[in-house]
Amino acid sequence: MTARVGVVTFPGSLDDSDAARAVRIVGARPVSLWHDHADLHGVDAVILPGGFSYGDYLRCGAIARFAPVMTELVPAAESGALPVLGICNGFQILCESHLLPGALTRNRSLHFVNREQRLRVESASTAWTGEYAPGQEIVAVLKSGEGNYVAAPETLEELEREGRVVARYVGGSPNGSQRDIAGVSNEHGNVVGLMPHPEHAVDELTGPSTDGVGFFTSVLAHLGAPVPTPSG
Amino acid sequence: MSEAPHLDTVATAETTPDTPLPYAELGMAGDEYARVRAILGRRPTSAELAIYSVMWSEHCSYKSSKVHLRQFGEKAPDSDALLVGMGENAGVVDVGDGYAVTFKIESHNHPSYVEPHQGAATGVGGIVRDILTMGARPVAVMDALRFGPVDAPDTRRVLPGVVSGISFYGNCLGLPNIGGELGFAPGYAANPLVNALCVGVMRHDDITLAQAPGPGNKVVLFGATTGPDGIGGASVLASASFDDESQAKRPSVQVGDPFLEKLLVECSLELFREGLVVGIQDLGAAGVSCSTTELAAAGTGGMRIELDRVPLRDSRLTPEEILMSESQERMMAIVEPGRLDAFMATCERWNVLATEIGEVTEVTAEEEKRGGRLVMSWHGETIVDMPPRTASDEGPVYERPYTRPVDQDALHEDDPARLPRPETDDELRAQLLRVLASPGVCDPRWVTEQYDHYVRGNTVLATPDDGGMVRLSDDTTRGIALATDGNGRYTRLDPYTGTQAGYAEAFRNVAATGARPLAVTDCLNFGSPEDPGVMWQFAESTRGLADACEVLGTPVTGGNVSFYNQTGETAIHPTPVIGVLGVIDDVTTRLRSAFGHGLDGARLYLLGETRAELGGSAWADVVHGHLGGHPPRVDLTAEASLAEVLATAAEEGLATMAHDLSDGGLAAALAESALRGGVGCEVRLEDPFTELFSESTARAVVAARPGAETALTGLCSRHDVPFTTLGTVGGSSLVVRHASGGFAVTLDELREAHAAKLPAVFGDDG
């Protein structure tokens, strides 16, 4: 079967076409989902892409969580059935929706930061990271103004204890994130939020590496769909 | 005008010919006002005066520059690539395979001084709408910035504000920022330059034009509501020098909403795709005044507008204020009546407000002769009845007097040859580090790291490479490259040659990526045109650019003039910023500027000829605070040959990197390539001082692909491009050797010098 991966477009989504490209690159079919339709069209997994949904004018992700498309998505994600990856603004939306704990606040520098970023994949037991080796270091793109991950001390302890810190920044946090956290998962491991952009690290021509491909092949493996063999 | 007690209608104007109107306060000269009266055969209404005052402002009418800009058309080389030339919102160039590209650079200097964040943000928004208006999807932005001395207190207000504005608007709009420039000089202290460039891609069939054909077609205003922001911005802000009252002008700066602009972009592209638009114009400077007069003028000449239907943010706005408002994120479309419902439905899907405010009308032969007929009403009463072409096309044209400034000779005689030079290797080494650490040469990462250059996933090259490069779409390997350059020190010394040097540098930067230069856009930043010395600089600069474009076969497709960049009697260095667009068949062959890993031992060549040219150089400026002599000679034939060698070397895979030489000469080029790749080099020089710091044009550093050395040098010979073997890539230091010694600088020390300056002034990240 060819896996069908939904990519949601909110007003102000920007990296939706990039997420769709990454899905195509691993041989799956991207399905465009519109924010205003309370219908997931039976997709096998969903990506909430980067961008500035609704201009991020209230608080990043705060308005998007109320979009009609979220009404079907939230229960399916909570049940552990539907794999969901939130990238950047998508991560913020997952936190605002309480699908993931914690919050993303302004970068410590108070500036937007755009750079190649080295990460360590801490957990390979989520739906989106199974193809990585635990502890593997990868290079992806970080580009965000509000990527500073914060959570209550007991929440951080719980995340660490349960192995739900999915990725950490290597070489210090570029945005002030607690414990250098770059991504976390829910308790089922089907919902992952990630501040850096793996979909911008899928092609040597336009990205700093191809290390990001693993997120997309991982979900295919998780779904039991055919996974392309690495072509180098 | 808001204090006007009652409506000033055409009927009132006819019966009260002697009522005085505040034309001088609106920046209009007495003879210009007299001409308006002559055109109308009566005094204008206050609404008509609002329209004429903004449309005839320097910013909108180009009244002082027009006579000089004509030569861009007259001397334009024949180019099959040019699909739409100057005069439209932006020029359009054929880049092959059915793709067309439109690009343009525009200034937002004055607003960015008054309110740096919003001034710069709306500068990005405005140029993006210009590109969108041509029917193209905007795909990338760039910006050329100039500020006062880096340590000056006000620079700490202006620079971070400008950068945050560009970052806020461009990032939220989802356009990769692929390059630009950053420069500093005292003259820019109260006159920062913020020049924003946007490039868009479309298929040939998709070109739309600003026109309003077909009587009965509807005029639709869509996008943001109209508010009191930017009222009089065009005439008051952009056309007068700053003085002590500039604080009082704060309300004239517009406020941007990039989220709405993103919706407007997607909505407009969908409207174009569905064929729902027959003509379109964005609302920029002069807002509704400009879009109605220009659309009407380019169409039948006739238009009727019900101004009270314009949706407002503030219901107290008077008709005059509505006409002058520069509220952002607004567009005006001409729509066939039968397609109006479909148009409105698409706007609704994108949550974009759209309002029918009028229609295109027939004009009589008599009206046509007068310049068409634009009629506007306010709750049923006629407040505007004027020939639109007199406002949009037939504004005043000035042959401003110009004279060569008296200090020009003294400037030339002050030759940098008299400056003390480093006598020892230690001094040479120290000066290399000083030049590398100087604000104009140092690592601009503090700025560029705030811009997203990855979004849309087609960015092949971006800052710090020589030019930005984007792939046209996922389905092709075809791409375009862009660079902007302009050296105010050179242009101050000699505006003709200096402008050509800026153009040659942008041309070379595009070639250094492996692309072939195709077309030009320009943003001409100068002081007051009422100063004959400034006007001489302008005349020389435009003549230089037109001549150079003629020689190199790259037409000027459009651009922008910004005058009045001066405080009191002191003007900025004349600063023409030239943008060059190039095309590359296969983006995978592009050349980076870094000494990459895996290049250890690759042979390094210097292409072009080095002369002792230090006038206006970074070395003279940084080490001696000196500006004198002549700028480096420009040899356009040599530039063309070098560009051909670089493009061919890329195509044939003969080179593994290329980096153009400009500010800071070979010293800066070698250090930058080494730092970008994290790999050093070792070079042997005959006359190290001159070879390191001269800024002779038409030069580049190139590393040969191992095994392709002979092919590369053979290619140079065939094109009469002189080359010298510099040395080899490798190691972790920059090593310079010469007959009587040499020196080495480790990459760590280079990096410390190169990267420390801006964070030290503006704050550390992280």
Side-chain angles (χ1 to χ4, degrees):
Chain A
M1 83 176 205
T2 305
R4 297 169 70 244
V5 179
V7 178
V8 179
T9 298
F10 297 97
S13 290
L14 302 178
D15 302 277
D16 43 351
S17 57
D18 304 300
R21 182 190 296 115
V23 168
R24 261 195 311 276
I25 282 177
V26 299
R29 186 188 309 158
V31 177
S32 183
L33 301 176
W34 186 243
H35 68 103
D36 209 17
H37 297 165
D39 184 354
L40 295 180
H41 297 281
V43 294
D44 303 308
V46 173
I47 298 174
L48 303 182
F52 292 71
S53 56
Y54 303 91
D56 280 350
Y57 283 154
L58 176 59
R59 201 173 55 238
C60 300
I63 303 177
R65 70 168 282 209
F66 295 109
V69 74
M70 297 300 284
T71 55
E72 193 182 336
L73 186 142
V74 170
E78 268 174 342
S79 73
L82 180 73
V84 178
L85 174 64
I87 302 169
C88 198
N89 193 227
F91 187 7
Q92 294 161 342
I93 295 168
L94 291 175
C95 289
E96 286 288 339
S97 309
H98 304 297
L99 286 169
L100 292 175
L104 293 141
T105 62
R106 280 196 80 182
N107 292 349
R108 192 172 46 198
S109 67
L110 304 183
H111 297 146
F112 190 96
V113 171
N114 172 82
R115 62 167 67 150
E116 294 178 14
Q117 178 66 48
R118 184 165 285 275
L119 305 172
R120 189 168 54 248
V121 179
E122 298 282 14
S123 167
S125 49
T126 78
W128 297 89
T129 53
E131 297 282 294
Y132 293 100
Q136 184 178 341
E137 289 197 2
I138 63 171
V139 173
V141 169
L142 181 71
K143 52 182 190 87
S144 44
E146 309 195 25
N148 183 352
Y149 185 76
V150 297
E154 57 273 23
T155 307
L156 291 172
E157 280 311 315
E158 187 183 322
L159 288 172
E160 299 278 8
R161 197 170 55 242
E162 298 178 358
R164 289 164 55 195
V165 173
V166 176
R168 263 188 249 270
Y169 301 109
V170 174
S173 165
N175 48 28
S177 288
Q178 290 178 333
R179 304 191 186 200
D180 299 340
I181 288 174
V184 300
S185 74
N186 68 349
E187 63 268 38
H188 301 296
N190 63 314
V191 178
V192 169
L194 194 66
M195 211 30 157
H197 291 256
E199 83 282 18
H200 284 290
V202 296
D203 181 355
E204 293 283 2
L205 184 70
T206 53
S209 74
T210 56
D211 295 349
V213 170
F215 282 87
F216 307 96
T217 52
S218 293
V219 77
L220 298 193
H222 174 85
L223 294 167
V227 178
T229 46
S231 56
Chain B
M1 281 179 297
S2 50
E3 65 271 18
H6 41 244
L7 197 62
D8 190 23
T9 64
V10 170
T12 321
E14 276 164 352
T15 55
T16 56
D18 300 324
T19 301
L21 290 181
Y23 64 86
E25 283 171 39
L26 291 168
M28 187 176 260
D31 54 343
E32 292 172 346
Y33 182 65
R35 210 176 130 210
V36 170
R37 292 191 66 126
I39 288 169
L40 297 175
R42 56 172 166 80
R43 77 159 171 88
T45 64
S46 52
E48 288 164 340
L49 180 64
I51 294 176
Y52 280 108
S53 74
V54 290
M55 291 305 291
W56 286 8
S57 69
E58 187 65 58
H59 185 75
C60 292
S61 74
Y62 294 86
K63 58 191 170 190
S64 301
S65 55
K66 221 173 217 169
V67 295
H68 300 282
L69 299 177
R70 278 184 193 136
Q71 55 190 322
F72 293 146
E74 289 158 8
K75 295 182 189 171
D78 279 337
S79 170
D80 296 340
L82 195 61
L83 301 176
V84 175
M86 289 211 302
E88 281 289 335
N89 285 293
V92 182
V93 180
D94 177 15
V95 294
D97 291 350
Y99 287 103
V101 163
T102 177
F103 73 124
K104 189 180 173 188
I105 187 165
E106 202 163 76
S107 64
H108 228 221
N109 303 340
H110 295 90
S112 300
Y113 176 62
V114 177
E115 211 293 86
H117 179 89
Q118 289 296 345
T122 53
V124 175
I127 192 65
V128 167
R129 285 192 301 282
D130 268 347
I131 294 307
L132 176 65
T133 299
M134 298 307 296
R137 173 177 277 285
V139 296
V141 293
M142 296 176 98
D143 46 81
L145 308 176
R146 302 289 187 281
F147 299 101
V150 73
D151 297 315
D154 200 42
T155 302
R156 281 178 222 195
R157 171 185 74 95
V158 178
L159 185 147
V162 164
V163 172
S164 74
I166 294 169
S167 162
F168 155 74
Y169 206 99
N171 293 349
C172 187
L173 196 50
L175 290 177
N177 189 312
I178 59 171
E181 294 169 88
L182 181 62
F184 301 87
Y188 304 120
N191 299 282
L193 302 186
V194 175
N195 293 180
L197 181 149
C198 181
V199 58
V201 177
M202 65 188 126
R203 305 296 298 176
H204 281 192
D205 313 338
D206 297 339
I207 298 172
T208 63
L209 298 175
Q211 56 183 9
N217 282 342
K218 302 299 179 190
V219 180
V220 181
L221 186 62
F222 66 115
T225 51
T226 297
D229 38 343
I231 288 178
S235 58
V236 181
L237 264 185
S239 304
S241 305
F242 284 119
D243 49 33
D244 295 340
E245 292 168 28
S246 62
Q247 288 306 315
K249 289 175 179 166
R250 190 177 297 274
S252 291
V253 175
Q254 314 86 319
V255 175
D257 178 352
F259 170 59
L260 182 52
E261 179 113 333
K262 167 71 178 169
L263 298 182
L264 200 56
V265 167
E266 298 301 333
C267 177
S268 300
L269 290 171
E270 201 165 305
L271 292 169
F272 298 151
R273 262 198 312 274
E274 293 168 351
L276 300 177
V277 170
V278 290
I280 194 156
Q281 175 70 293
D282 67 306
L283 275 68
V288 174
S289 296
C290 184
S291 55
T292 51
T293 53
E294 289 192 352
L295 280 171
T300 63
M303 188 176 283
R304 176 182 298 278
I305 297 290
E306 291 175 58
L307 204 57
D308 49 279
R309 299 184 68 163
V310 172
L312 301 180
R313 212 174 289 167
D314 175 350
S315 61
R316 294 165 303 179
L317 286 190
T318 65
E320 296 84 356
E321 288 170 321
I322 294 169
L323 285 166
M324 296 176 86
S325 166
E326 296 189 352
S327 288
Q328 300 290 293
E329 292 92 24
R330 296 180 299 163
M331 304 276 276
M332 188 173 282
I334 306 298
V335 184
E336 288 173 13
R339 297 192 169 169
L340 194 61
D341 287 347
F343 184 100
M344 294 299 184
T346 296
C347 289
E348 201 177 316
R349 174 174 143 83
W350 286 101
N351 287 322
V352 168
L353 181 66
T355 314
E356 181 197 333
I357 63 164
E359 66 178 23
V360 177
T361 53
E362 301 256 26
V363 288
T364 64
E366 181 59 27
E367 286 163 353
E368 170 67 27
K369 232 166 71 189
R370 293 182 61 219
R373 186 174 184 198
L374 171 65
V375 178
M376 293 189 188
S377 62
W378 181 256
H379 297 291
E381 299 209 61
T382 303
I383 55 167
V384 170
D385 188 347
M386 59 179 279
R389 288 191 187 111
T390 60
S392 65
D393 303 340
E394 293 157 19
V397 176
Y398 293 141
E399 300 251 8
R400 300 264 191 205
Y402 57 88
T403 46
R404 187 169 182 269
V406 287
D407 69 350
Q408 206 65 32
D409 287 329
L411 206 54
H412 287 168
E413 280 156 24
D414 183 12
D415 196 287
R418 70 168 174 83
L419 299 172
R421 297 183 177 192
E423 289 174 2
T424 64
D425 281 334
D426 281 351
E427 283 179 25
L428 189 59
R429 184 182 188 280
Q431 291 189 358
L432 180 145
L433 288 170
R434 273 181 73 188
V435 168
L436 202 61
S438 65
V441 177
C442 75
D443 189 346
R445 186 175 307 205
W446 190 91
V447 170
T448 57
E449 203 170 60
Q450 297 188 42
Y451 307 148
D452 180 354
H453 74 253
Y454 290 103
V455 66
R456 300 192 57 75
N458 283 315
T459 306
V460 177
L461 295 174
T463 309
D465 278 306
D466 288 343
M469 184 181 288
V470 290
R471 180 172 58 185
L472 292 179
S473 81
D474 280 31
D475 318 323
T476 178
T477 59
R478 187 168 290 271
I480 49 171
L482 276 157
T484 69
D485 285 293
N487 186 321
R489 292 194 303 271
Y490 293 173
T491 324
R492 175 70 182 90
L493 293 178
D494 177 346
Y496 182 91
T497 306
T499 300
Q500 292 198 335
Y503 163 68
E505 186 183 341
F507 188 92
R508 195 181 325 131
N509 272 320
V510 164
T513 66
R516 285 193 161 78
L518 205 59
V520 168
T521 180
D522 58 0
C523 193
L524 308 172
N525 306 279
F526 288 77
S528 167
E530 294 159 43
D531 175 339
V534 169
M535 214 49 219
W536 175 81
Q537 293 173 331
F538 186 77
E540 284 293 287
S541 173
T542 46
R543 190 170 67 85
L545 181 59
D547 287 352
C549 286
E550 192 175 16
V551 173
L552 290 185
T554 54
V556 176
T557 62
N560 165 241
V561 177
S562 173
F563 279 130
Y564 297 102
N565 295 288
Q566 72 178 61
T567 307
E569 295 296 301
T570 314
I572 58 163
H573 286 332
T575 313
V577 171
I578 316 296
V580 170
L581 172 87
V583 63
I584 183 165
D585 292 343
D586 182 355
V587 291
T588 63
T589 65
R590 87 287 188 203
L591 295 172
R592 293 185 178 280
S593 61
F595 295 152
H597 288 277
L599 289 190
D600 267 6
R603 198 175 294 172
L604 207 53
Y605 295 93
L606 176 64
L607 274 45
E609 189 185 344
T610 305
R611 297 172 289 265
E613 294 181 299
L614 293 158
S617 67
W619 174 81
D621 179 49
V622 172
V623 176
H624 297 287
H626 177 269
L627 179 61
H630 292 272
R633 212 175 85 203
V634 173
D635 179 344
L636 296 168
T637 314
E639 292 289 356
S641 304
L642 176 68
E644 188 53 35
V645 164
L646 291 168
T648 309
E651 264 164 16
E652 297 180 359
L654 307 179
T656 51
M657 60 73 63
H659 189 11
D660 95 299
L661 266 59
S662 54
D663 258 24
L666 182 66
L670 291 177
E672 287 164 359
S673 293
L675 289 174
R676 287 171 197 171
V679 179
C681 68
E682 183 169 331
V683 299
R684 188 167 186 90
L685 305 176
E686 298 292 319
D687 169 5
F689 168 75
T690 305
E691 289 174 63
L692 283 172
F693 293 118
S694 164
E695 296 185 4
S696 294
T697 61
R699 296 185 303 157
V701 167
V702 175
R705 182 171 297 286
E709 292 84 357
T710 321
L712 181 65
T713 55
L715 178 67
C716 290
S717 302
R718 279 203 300 288
H719 288 93
D720 290 326
V721 171
F723 62 90
T724 34
T725 306
L726 283 173
T728 51
V729 176
S732 55
S733 298
L734 169 59
V735 181
V736 176
R737 295 195 191 286
H738 55 90
S740 57
F743 64 88
V745 192
T746 64
L747 289 186
D748 286 342
E749 198 178 349
L750 279 179
R751 188 173 294 111
E752 172 59 28
H754 195 228
K757 186 67 194 175
L758 299 186
V761 177
F762 300 109
D764 248 322
D765 261 0

